[in-house]
Amino acid sequence: RRLWIVLGLRSSLLLVELAVGFWTHSLSLLAVAGHMLSDIFTLGAALIAVSLAQRPAVGQATFGYRRLEILVALMNGAIPIAIAALIAWKVIERFQAPEPVLALPTLVVAALGLAINSLLVSLLHEDSDRDLNLRGAFLHVVADATSFFGVILAAIVVYWFNWFLADAIASLFVACLICLSALPLIWDSLRILMEYAPPTIDVAEVEAVLSANACVRQVDKLHIWTITSGQVALCAHLAVESLNAQERDNLLLQLQAQLEQAFGIGESTLQIVALNGSNCTSHLC
């Protein structure tokens, strides 16, 4: 629902930016519009991904379709980088051949954009840490809000000092902000796709928690990875003393509760191996 609200408001603002940007010859306003165009495209893709992610796990898709959110988040980071490169190229052209800019209309639209994006920042901030796509939308909105502030300053300089290169400098500032907002999203997406352990989880600490149980003698093949935002999985081999079935079940339930409480790991696959080798039992928890 929040993504739809963001998409609607930004689409309306985009049309205004494009019309006024071409009319005033403001490269900085067109740069923000270009970033917003990429946002609208990726937000649409994010909405599709969120819809598909709700489908149940069937057939070979044993984890369901939630990882589509990660692929879309990666695209959310890659497309703005391409937009930033295009803006930088246009800035070089503008430095070589400056164009006059109508400052007052640019200032009005930039102030409107700053107000709308400030509203969207407050709308998305609460859940930006819970979902990678919401975080991507939040980062783009923050970058746009800051970009509009730069456009406002450039428009003021053009209006008072008639220095048209200020608009090109503001465009370069927008391009840098786009890169700064996109690169962390790309890095986080790649970490998940490479099946790194979440940055909030210390693997050595998880191993220490598993080893701290009196029955566990050794922890091997410990793997921790993120399936998608908020869904962390773990698997490990545990060498333990010879236990009867009831003791083994109690041990697994205890370890599962510790992993979920201490680290938020809700999906744990633990293989129990008896030290004497006479009884090897696997259990999925």
Side-chain angles (χ1 to χ4, degrees):
R1 196 160 54 239
R2 295 186 184 189
L3 286 177
W4 277 114
I5 293 173
V6 172
L7 186 61
L9 287 175
R10 289 168 77 81
S11 298
S12 302
L13 183 58
L14 171 66
L15 296 177
V16 176
E17 286 180 354
L18 287 174
V20 177
F22 283 114
W23 172 44
T24 61
H25 301 282
S26 173
L27 181 59
S28 60
L29 202 55
L30 290 174
V32 178
H35 184 211
M36 194 167 293
L37 180 62
S38 72
D39 290 352
I40 290 171
F41 174 78
T42 51
L43 277 173
L47 285 167
I48 295 174
V50 168
S51 177
L52 291 175
Q54 307 307 315
R55 296 176 60 183
V58 293
Q60 292 185 329
T62 56
F63 280 117
Y65 297 88
R66 291 196 62 190
R67 219 161 212 215
L68 283 172
E69 296 180 15
I70 309 304
L71 295 176
V72 171
L74 181 61
M75 184 177 64
N76 265 336
I79 290 179
I81 295 294
I83 296 292
L86 178 61
I87 293 171
W89 177 50
K90 291 296 183 181
V91 167
I92 294 173
E93 289 184 346
R94 188 63 65 91
F95 271 113
Q96 294 173 343
E99 293 184 18
V101 177
L102 298 177
L104 194 56
T106 300
L107 180 60
V108 171
V109 173
L112 175 64
L114 179 61
I116 291 177
N117 279 274
S118 298
L119 174 64
L120 296 179
V121 166
S122 62
L123 181 67
L124 293 173
H125 178 265
E126 181 180 352
D127 292 324
S128 61
D129 292 332
R130 180 178 56 83
D131 181 272
L132 201 56
N133 278 308
L134 283 176
R135 182 185 174 195
F138 173 74
L139 290 175
H140 288 316
V141 170
V142 170
D144 278 348
T146 310
S147 299
F148 277 119
F149 185 73
V151 174
I152 289 173
L153 292 179
I156 293 174
V157 171
V158 171
Y159 183 80
W160 285 105
F161 302 100
N162 209 34
W163 187 46
F164 299 127
L165 284 180
D167 184 71
I169 294 173
S171 304
L172 191 60
F173 172 69
V174 171
C176 292
L177 284 177
I178 292 173
C179 290
L180 289 175
S181 65
L183 288 176
L185 189 62
I186 292 176
W187 173 242
D188 288 344
S189 301
L190 289 176
R191 282 183 61 93
I192 292 176
L193 293 176
M194 292 294 292
E195 297 189 339
Y196 280 26
T200 56
I201 295 179
D202 187 338
V203 178
E205 187 176 348
V206 174
E207 184 175 358
V209 168
L210 293 173
S211 302
N213 190 284
C215 297
V216 177
R217 293 290 178 261
Q218 187 175 347
V219 178
D220 293 315
K221 298 182 180 181
L222 174 61
H223 302 290
I224 306 171
W225 70 100
T226 302
I227 298 171
T228 188
S229 301
Q231 188 175 1
V232 181
L234 174 148
C235 67
H237 286 191
L238 305 179
V240 303
E241 299 174 346
S242 295
L243 302 173
N244 59 43
Q246 182 63 44
E247 291 171 336
R248 187 172 59 248
D249 290 344
N250 291 339
L251 173 63
L252 288 170
L253 289 174
Q254 179 184 350
L255 292 176
Q256 180 187 24
Q258 288 178 330
L259 291 171
E260 187 164 8
Q261 182 177 3
F263 307 103
I265 301 175
E267 300 187 23
S268 306
T269 303
L270 301 175
Q271 184 176 32
I272 302 297
V273 181
L275 281 177
N276 57 17
S278 61
N279 183 22
C280 183
T281 306
S282 300
H283 184 89
L284 183 66
C285 47

